[in-house]
Amino acid sequence: MEKNEILVVYGENPAEMASEIAEEAGLAELIGDKKKRIGLKPNLVVARPAEEGATTHPEIAAGLIDYLQKNGFTNIVILEGSWVGDSTEDAFRYCGYEALAKQKKVELIDTQLDKAKPYDCKGMRIEICDSARAVDFMINLPVMKGHCQTLVTCALKNNKGIIPDREKRRFHSLGLHKPIAHLNTVARNDFILVDGICGDLDFEEGGNPVSAGRLFAALDPVLCDAWAAEQMGYAVSEIPYIGLAEKLGVGIGDPKKAIVRELNQPLKGGGFAKPGGKVRQLAQYIEEAEACSACYAALIFALSRMDRSELGRIQGKIAIGQGFRGKKGALGVGRCTQGFAAAIHTTGASCPGCPPSGAEVLSFLRQQQ
Ligand code: SF4
């Protein structure tokens, strides 16, 4: 896998998807020496199940561990520290990681209980937990989801779990963006596998999961987050820590420079999570017929970025899904609705892409107003 690539896999079985993407990325070759200590860093910010949109599906870690063990890697550790005020031990138990570690015979480390040392993170002194520094190859397993302060959280912010609680408090007092960027000048991001199964719409604690049914892998954490921001309907300029990390040399912040390689086609349907109230509210603007979950998620993310007056100007319902292939209509999203715009003398419009990103859908919907 190349540094500027993003590999995407769609599906319903996160363990199989994780293993497939690791195979395609050549993860074993990327790691090299079988004796290396490999860290898996999920997002277990709170003790809530992955279906609620906050935490990494344990099946993804399970699929990766199976892949690693099959390839002869035995020194594997899962490490994480929940947010301040919540117990990582509870999260490990409740989110299925305690059972997983026991079953696969891998170590489990609560970084909230770990010692830490300060490091010069390109001009900012930041304490990082010893267990994270002891890892030779770090696999970052973030959830692509909304965040109440930074708007988007993905790979770069997930590394907040490898700093002690006192440092997490300081990050908040500094406004998060700058310290997150600096942290990633030292924190390892050797391979990133993003849980894009059903991350939350706008809140890191979950409650409004958006089913998208995909995982994506990257080697560059900045490019990874820039691409994720676009999928969620944001311009990179709206998420300051991405640009700051790019300026510090962590990676590339222009999602247009990503070479996206899809390993399969988006999947029809896929109710990975029960939609919360906000997602149900936005769904009232949509007429769905056999829509792929990634396409539907892009539309939900785009609608969530529109204010009340913009939503009020939407005429009728927005069509989406394979059931609209070859049909005519007024407003459609995704290549399946291209017939809306193709007919002669049509007044219909269709947002191209299969699936389009949230940012593309948002820009399309705004153009129609
Ligand atoms: S355009 Fe059609 S086939 Fe493509 S992702 Fe959307 S619903 Fe699926």
Side-chain angles (χ1 to χ4, degrees):
M1 170 174 191
E2 303 296 326
K3 188 84 181 166
N4 61 345
E5 274 188 313
I6 291 182
L7 304 188
V8 186
V9 65
Y10 301 96
E12 289 178 324
N13 183 328
E16 276 176 16
M17 291 155 76
S19 169
E20 190 185 339
I21 215 165
E23 198 77 60
E24 186 64 32
L27 181 58
E29 290 76 47
L30 288 170
I31 300 170
D33 189 347
K34 306 279 185 219
K35 291 197 195 78
K36 276 190 183 166
R37 185 165 173 77
I38 302 163
L40 264 57
K41 163 64 182 79
N43 183 331
L44 303 177
V45 60
V46 286
R48 293 181 78 168
E51 309 87 79
E52 292 185 16
T55 55
T56 307
H57 285 75
E59 298 89 342
I60 297 172
L64 270 187
I65 294 169
D66 285 345
Y67 166 88
L68 292 168
Q69 292 179 336
K70 196 178 81 188
N71 281 280
F73 298 97
T74 53
N75 192 356
I76 302 168
V77 55
I78 299 171
L79 64 171
E80 167 63 323
S82 297
W83 67 3
V84 178
D86 258 291
S87 150
T88 315
E89 200 186 329
D90 286 351
F92 277 154
R93 192 177 317 116
Y94 199 70
C95 300
Y97 285 80
E98 192 181 274
L100 174 70
K102 204 180 271 180
Q103 190 204 352
K104 306 284 182 194
K105 296 187 175 51
V106 300
E107 243 182 285
L108 201 56
I109 293 178
D110 175 354
T111 57
Q112 280 181 325
L113 307 176
D114 199 8
K115 291 199 182 79
K117 286 183 200 61
Y119 294 85
D120 176 11
C121 298
K122 280 214 171 167
M124 186 179 273
R125 228 169 118 84
I126 297 175
E127 285 188 69
I128 300 177
C129 295
D130 293 349
S131 54
R133 296 297 294 155
V135 156
D136 300 307
F137 191 95
M138 185 69 89
I139 301 179
N140 189 344
L141 300 175
V143 178
M144 182 187 92
K145 60 180 173 175
H147 188 276
C148 63
Q149 288 162 285
T150 59
L151 304 178
V152 167
T153 167
C154 197
L156 294 164
K157 206 183 149 294
N158 193 36
N159 274 326
K160 216 166 132 264
I162 60 159
I163 58 173
D165 278 3
R166 57 181 172 275
E167 199 60 289
K168 286 180 197 146
R169 285 192 198 94
R170 190 171 73 102
F171 269 39
H172 281 274
S173 74
L174 295 170
L176 287 175
H177 291 280
K178 190 173 170 199
I180 287 169
H182 280 268
L183 170 64
N184 281 278
T185 62
V186 171
R188 303 190 72 106
N189 285 290
D190 298 301
F191 183 70
I192 302 149
L193 181 54
V194 180
D195 181 344
I197 299 287
C198 59
D200 195 84
L201 183 67
D202 56 5
F203 193 34
E204 63 275 24
E205 219 183 329
N208 279 293
V210 182
S211 290
R214 78 180 145 204
L215 304 184
F216 55 96
L219 296 178
D220 177 337
V222 185
L223 194 60
C224 172
D225 284 14
W227 192 76
E230 271 209 336
Q231 302 315 301
M232 293 178 63
Y234 290 96
V236 173
S237 56
E238 294 177 273
I239 322 292
Y241 69 77
I242 298 177
L244 290 170
E246 183 179 35
K247 276 199 193 111
L248 290 167
V250 181
I252 295 167
D254 180 358
K256 306 233 163 5
K257 296 204 172 134
I259 307 289
V260 180
R261 192 148 52 94
E262 291 175 308
L263 308 189
N264 56 3
Q265 295 299 306
L267 218 66
K268 252 194 290 184
F272 301 95
K274 209 164 147 230
K278 281 187 197 168
V279 174
R280 281 202 306 274
Q281 247 174 352
L282 295 171
Q284 67 179 308
Y285 297 96
I286 303 174
E287 188 182 353
E288 180 267 335
E290 299 170 49
C292 300
S293 40
C295 211
Y296 193 87
L299 178 52
I300 289 285
F301 279 122
L303 287 169
S304 77
R305 306 282 339 276
M306 299 177 85
D307 62 30
R308 204 176 287 186
S309 65
E310 286 177 307
L311 290 171
R313 286 198 294 275
I314 294 173
Q315 308 255 324
K317 296 216 177 202
I318 304 161
I320 186 167
Q322 299 182 31
F324 289 100
R325 277 184 183 155
K327 295 198 174 153
K328 295 191 180 81
L331 194 58
V333 162
R335 195 170 61 199
C336 291
T337 63
Q338 66 189 3
F340 290 21
I344 303 165
H345 305 310
T346 183
T347 52
S350 162
C351 174
C354 178
S357 69
E360 285 165 340
V361 178
L362 180 62
S363 152
F364 164 78
L365 292 177
R366 283 185 168 150
Q367 277 166 25
Q368 307 312 312
Q369 301 218 324

